[in-house]
Structure formats: structure tokens, C-alpha cells
Amino acid sequence: MSTLPRALTLPPRTGTTPAEARRAARRRSRRDRATAWAFISPSVVVILGLSVVPVVWSLLLSFRADDLVTPGRWVGLDNYRALAQDPNFRTAVGNTIQYAALYVPLSLVGGLALAIALNRRIRFVGLYRTLVFVPFVVSATAQGVLFSFILDPDFGVANSLLHHLGVSRQGFLSDPGQAMFLLVLISLWSGVGFCVVVYLAALQDVPPELVESARLDGANLRQVLRHVTLPALTPVTVFLLLWQLISALQVFDLIYVTTKGGPLGSTTVVVYFVWQQAFQMFTAGYGAAAAYVLALALLVSGGVLRLVRAREGRVEGGRS
Amino acid sequence: MNPSTPRRPSLGWHLLLAPLALAFALPLVWLVLSSVMSDAEINRFPPALWPHGIDLSGYRYVMGNALFPRWFANSLIVAVVAVTSNLLFGALGGYAFARMRFGGSRLLLALMLATMVVPFQLTMIPTFLVMKWLGLIDTLGALIVPSLVTPFAVFLFRQFFLSLPREIEEAAWIDGCSRLRVLFSIVLPLARPALATVAVLTFLTAWNDLSWPLIAINHDTVYTLQLGLTTFQGQHHTKWSAVMAGNVITVLPVLVAFLLAQRTFIQSLTSSGIKG
């Protein structure tokens, strides 16, 4: 910063009364306020205009029968009552829960295991880390197209490999019993990299003295992991749990590209259901109600995790 | 891990890690390989596992399609505008929140942060209605306007500016520099990490999005690459090499961006994730 001109200190000007100084200060602060508003107005208009307004609008929509084209009418809680009885919505909720229940724990455990393995100073470790992480930047669309091809029952390389191993042809994404598990696998392929990166960053912060002294006390690798590393990683684990849960409950792109919710509704998740209702069946009010149910679930899971985190923080604090 | 401890033999770790890393790379390797295979090699069962020579007919096919280059251009326009405007408006907003006091600033900031947890699904139907009211549905405008500035960009810049010492700017204020001039000639040149983070993450999000274009765009001349790719698959089911060539072209920009900015990229993900 040597190029900056040094501030000149002027002797205090004589002849200004305190009243004049106050007026000048007021003028300055008024100008400053105007500048501040000019600076933030684009953000305020875009962000608040396209999130706060729609959140309220969505709530109003969920109390209406509306097709986005003709004027709708107020139906109160009818949409929510109908949702509670809709077997398709129940299936969508079940599928979403199944997907999240598989994806979230597997991505965390897999991410942690890989991060521990990748957290050593060996040759090529940078290359290994890059290879594990790269699928994360591939869009869900591209993943979907790629895996539709790999898992194509007729032309896919997956069946070809199974053929070489003497296993009969599989239906893969066209088999209602396999589709959801394959979608979880594809999501893991791309999603684990994020957990690995976050865990790797956190592992750097585990104090090496702690590990060292535990080793000196005769703890083996598993005991170090159990009693030193894992407790130190708790805040990161809670963060990842929340993050992965949110992304799991919102999964859409991959499903749209690969199965379109099929076969036989076996991969219709809540977001897919919302999209179908609003933009295919033109029952936007009903879709908005389903979106509100999903948002509520997200809010509740976020709140519960926050509580757990706060409790754990107290426990940790009490222990030390 | 401690440099003073004797180096343990690492062969075991290689035997574990190399196949794992390979398994992660394999689908992408297959993506590239199949994009340069001839149709005969792809369409037989079992398909060839390695191409005999490089056949670029898939690439010629997609590039010859009048729409494909257009989708690429659309994606690029949307992503470049999103990156530029997030840098500009994010920095302006972040600076105001970090350095200026004005009535309601705390409330506004809290409100903006709160919007970060609102799921897209909740806002997508009304956002569609807003865009329709603005007459933007089925134009690139519908893709650009919602991505002009994100609360994440404003927040990240604010945090970064708060970490800069005030003294650097105070000299310039006393000299009578305007706020805008201080921001552009003193603060932003120091904010390279924040600028890079916002640019990288905005580009990734804008380039990879499918859900919103799917809702906002109907006409195939306004498609983005991701949207185009989904239709491609159905129309050209027999021409898998072309589908894969299109896919390679879609993935390539983010892959190159990632490899060029790997360090920034990973830092931005971890820090924005954990501390944001």
C-alpha cells in the first residue's frame, strides 16, 4: 500500500461554530445514507423481490385452487387436506425419505472414510483427491445423461461388463426395484466428493498434539479415531448432515433426466411431485401446498439439528 | 503425518486408493471414450470397451445441428451475466452492509440471510408468475433476472470487507474520495479471494442449473445446454455418440474452470459451507 497518499492532518479550522459543524455532519450522514441505499438497492430488489414476496405468495397460492392461467378461487385448507389423502403424494414422501435415508448416511460415512484415507502425505494423493472430487462439478443433467447411457439395458456398458462376468442382463433404471438404489449410487458418485473436501479441511484442524499424546498413551488407530478424531469433527459432521439432508430432500434434476419419476412412480420424489402438479397438471395451488409441506420439513429438520448442535456444544463445554 | 516420524510404507494406501480413485474417474473416462466411438462400436452388444481410432462423427453431428451452438451461447450469456452482476452488485451491497450505517440495515441484512435457507421449490411457482408478469418467460431475461445477485454473494463480500482493516480506507475518505471510488480503487483490488470465490460458485450454479430453465423456457431456440441435453437424449436415441459428444461439450467448461482454479474452488466450497 505504499502507493497510497498519506493523509494530511490539517490544523483545526477556526471560525466554525458547533452548530455549523453539526449541520455539516448531518449533511454528510444524509449523503452517506443515500449512497448506502444506492449500493444495496439492486440486491434488495432482486433478492427480496424474488424470495420474500414469493414465499408469501406461495402461501396464499396454497390456499387457492389455481391453474396459473384463469383466476383461481380461495379454498382454505382443502389443498392440504387433499394432500393428506393423496396416495401419489404419500408415495412421493416415502420415496424422498428412502432416498435421503440412504444417501445422507452413506455420503457422510463414505466421505469421512475417504477423507481419512486421503489425509496422508503419499505420492499422487493430490491426483487421487482431484479424481474423487471432479464428479461434484458435473451437472446433474450431464450425470443423468451419462448414466442413462452406461445403464442402458441394451447398449449400456454396465450390462456388457456383467455379461463378461456371466451375470444376466439387468433392467437398471427401468426396473422399479433397482431404480431408486441406482439413483442413490449416482448421487453418491458426485456427492461424496463434497463431504471428502469438507472433512479433509476439518482434519487439518484436528490438533496433532492430541493425536500424538493418545498414541503415546498406547491408543491404536481405531481408538484414536473413536476418541480423538470423531469428537473433533462433530461440528463439521452436523453441518454436513444438514447440508446433505437439504440437498437430498430437494433432489430433482437427476430424476427428471433419468427416470422422470418412473418406473411405476418408484422414483417420484416430493420436488418432482410439486413440479408435476404446477407445470404439467396446472394445479399450482396444490403444488404450492406440497412445496410448503416440504419447506416445513426442511425447517423442522434444520431446527432439530440446530438444537442437537447447541446441546452438544454445552456437553463439550461441560466436559473440558 | 508429522514430518519427524519415520515415513511408513505407503504401498498399502496406494493399493486401496488407486482403485477407488479409478472407480470415481471411470464414468467420465467412459463419457470421453464413447464420444469418439463409431456408432457400430457403440450399438453392438456387448459394446466395445475401447475405441478403434478416434471417430469424431458424434462431434460433427452435434456441432452441425443449428441449435446446439445456440444453446452453448445461451448458457454462456446467462453464466457470464450472472458472474459479472454478482461481482458488481454483491460487492456494492456487501460494502454498504460492512461499512455504512443506515436505518434498517440490520433488519435488511437479517432478511437477506434468511432467504438463503428458503428452498427453491417454495418460490419457483410465484417466481414463474413474476417473470410472466414482467413478460420475460421464454426469454433469456427470465434466466438472468433471478440470478443477478444472490444473498450468498452479498454476505460473502460483507464478511470479507469486515476482515479488512478500516485504516486503509480512512486515508482516502479524508482526502475526499467518494465511496464508490474507495470501493473500486482500494477495496476491490484487495478482495481478490472473495471475487474469485463468488465468480467460481456463481459460474458453477448458473452453468449447471436445469430446474429453473425447465420452468421458464419453452422454445428450443432459448434453451440452455443443460435443457437442450435432456431433449437430445430422446430425439437421438440411436445416435449415442452424438449425445455423449454433446455431454462432453457441456461438462468441459466447468471441468476446465475447476482444474484451473482448483485451490480457490475447494477453499471457497469449504469456507462458504462451514462458516457461511
Side-chain angles (χ1 to χ4, degrees), chain B residues 238-253:
Chain B
T238 45
K239 189 94 181 137
W240 272 113
S241 63
V243 178
M244 288 302 120
N247 214 351
V248 168
I249 296 172
T250 306
V251 171
L252 215 54

Side-chain angles (χ1 to χ4, degrees), chain B residues 10-207:
Chain B
S10 54
L11 185 69
W13 287 108
H14 283 297
L15 286 178
L16 178 77
L17 285 171
L20 267 171
L22 201 68
F24 274 91
L26 219 51
L28 290 175
V29 171
W30 184 248
L31 167 64
V32 177
L33 285 182
S34 55
S35 75
V36 297
M37 278 187 192
S38 68
D39 290 323
E41 283 172 320
I42 289 184
N43 289 336
R44 70 164 193 244
F45 188 86
L49 292 178
W50 196 261
H52 294 283
I54 291 173
D55 184 307
L56 291 179
S57 67
Y59 287 90
R60 269 198 294 277
Y61 189 86
V62 283
M63 293 318 284
N65 182 329
L67 285 172
F68 193 84
R70 188 155 188 169
W71 297 338
F72 192 95
N74 288 342
S75 278
L76 202 62
I77 293 169
V78 171
V80 167
V81 173
V83 169
T84 318
S85 72
N86 267 284
L87 291 181
L88 179 68
F89 296 140
L92 284 174
Y95 187 72
F97 280 123
R99 286 287 193 265
M100 303 179 187
R101 316 225 86 219
F102 53 99
S105 68
R106 275 160 180 240
L107 179 73
L108 268 180
L109 185 69
L111 215 54
M112 270 196 198
L113 291 186
T115 67
M116 283 166 91
V117 297
V118 175
F120 167 67
Q121 290 75 34
L122 197 57
T123 56
M124 71 183 183
I125 301 169
T127 306
F128 173 81
L129 294 172
V130 172
M131 291 298 137
K132 204 166 102 177
W133 180 72
L134 290 172
L136 291 175
I137 287 301
D138 226 5
T139 70
L140 287 184
L143 303 183
I144 288 171
V145 169
S147 60
L148 279 176
V149 55
T150 57
F152 165 77
V154 174
F155 180 67
L156 196 120
F157 275 115
R158 172 181 175 266
Q159 294 306 95
F160 188 83
F161 294 153
L162 283 178
S163 74
L164 289 180
R166 241 167 211 279
E167 290 74 33
I168 299 170
E169 296 151 63
E170 262 161 11
W173 292 342
I174 292 164
D175 283 357
C177 254
S178 73
R179 292 283 197 172
L180 205 61
R181 183 112 180 258
V182 172
L183 176 61
F184 276 93
S185 53
I186 298 169
V187 179
L188 279 186
L190 295 172
R192 222 174 265 167
L195 290 166
T197 301
V198 170
V200 160
L201 288 182
T202 308
F203 180 78
L204 183 73
T205 322
W207 187 269

Side-chain angles (χ1 to χ4, degrees), chain A residues 53-70:
Chain A
V53 174
V55 163
V56 178
W57 196 339
S58 224
L59 186 65
L60 293 177
L61 256 177
S62 77
F63 296 130
R64 300 171 64 85
D66 201 314
D67 61 0
L68 302 181
V69 185
T70 51

Side-chain angles (χ1 to χ4, degrees), chain A residues 1 4-8 32-33 35-40 42-44 46-55 57-58 61 68-69 114 116-126 128-150 152-157 159-161 163-164 169 188-190 192-194 197-198 201 212 215 221 236 239 243 250 252-253 256-257 271 274-275 278-279 284 287-288 291-292 294-295 298-299 309, chain B residues 1-5 7-8 10 13-14 16-18 20-25 27-28 30-31 34 42-49 89-90 92-93 95-97 99-104 108 111-112 115 117-132 145-151 154 168 171-172 174-175 179-180 183 186 190 204 207-211 214-215 226-227 229-230 233 237 240 243-244 247 250-251 254-255 258-259 262 265-266 269-270 273-274:
Chain A
M1 287 287 90
L4 275 180
R6 287 185 69 88
L8 294 173
D32 220 34
R33 206 156 52 225
T35 317
W37 276 104
F39 278 20
I40 61 159
S43 322
V44 169
V46 173
I47 294 171
L48 299 190
L50 289 176
S51 60
V52 174
V53 174
V55 163
W57 196 339
S58 224
L61 256 177
L68 302 181
V69 185
L114 271 168
I116 289 173
L118 287 168
N119 190 32
R120 19 216 95 231
R121 298 231 213 115
I122 54 174
R123 234 189 232 250
F124 305 128
V125 77
Y128 293 152
R129 286 178 189 176
T130 304
L131 289 179
V132 168
F133 183 72
V134 147
F136 182 76
V137 302
V138 175
S139 70
T141 319
Q143 288 171 38
V145 172
L146 172 59
F147 279 97
S148 304
F149 176 45
I150 291 179
D152 187 291
D154 298 320
F155 308 109
V157 71
N159 259 337
S160 160
L161 288 175
H163 177 80
H164 284 296
R169 266 190 209 201
L188 282 174
W189 174 69
S190 71
V192 158
F194 177 66
V197 162
V198 172
E212 197 97 335
R215 300 284 292 178
L221 271 178
V236 171
F239 158 74
W243 188 269
Q250 296 192 38
F252 173 82
D253 291 5
Y256 177 81
V257 178
V271 178
V274 173
W275 176 79
F279 298 103
Y292 248 93
L294 176 71
L298 283 168
L299 205 70
R309 199 174 178 175
Chain B
M1 271 165 279
N2 194 316
S4 65
T5 51
R7 239 182 126 104
R8 309 241 311 255
S10 54
W13 287 108
H14 283 297
L16 178 77
L17 285 171
L20 267 171
L22 201 68
F24 274 91
L28 290 175
W30 184 248
L31 167 64
S34 55
I42 289 184
N43 289 336
R44 70 164 193 244
F45 188 86
L49 292 178
F89 296 140
L92 284 174
Y95 187 72
F97 280 123
R99 286 287 193 265
M100 303 179 187
R101 316 225 86 219
F102 53 99
L108 268 180
L111 215 54
M112 270 196 198
T115 67
V117 297
V118 175
F120 167 67
Q121 290 75 34
L122 197 57
T123 56
M124 71 183 183
I125 301 169
T127 306
F128 173 81
L129 294 172
V130 172
M131 291 298 137
K132 204 166 102 177
V145 169
S147 60
L148 279 176
V149 55
T150 57
V154 174
I168 299 170
I174 292 164
D175 283 357
R179 292 283 197 172
L180 205 61
L183 176 61
I186 298 169
L190 295 172
L204 183 73
W207 187 269
N208 281 352
D209 191 22
L210 173 69
S211 332
L214 184 68
I215 292 165
Q226 313 290 341
L227 199 51
L229 212 57
T230 62
Q233 204 189 347
H237 239 306
W240 272 113
V243 178
M244 288 302 120
N247 214 351
T250 306
V251 171
V254 280
L255 223 55
F258 167 70
L259 291 175
Q262 195 166 1
F265 203 105
I266 284 176
L269 274 177
T270 46
I274 299 168

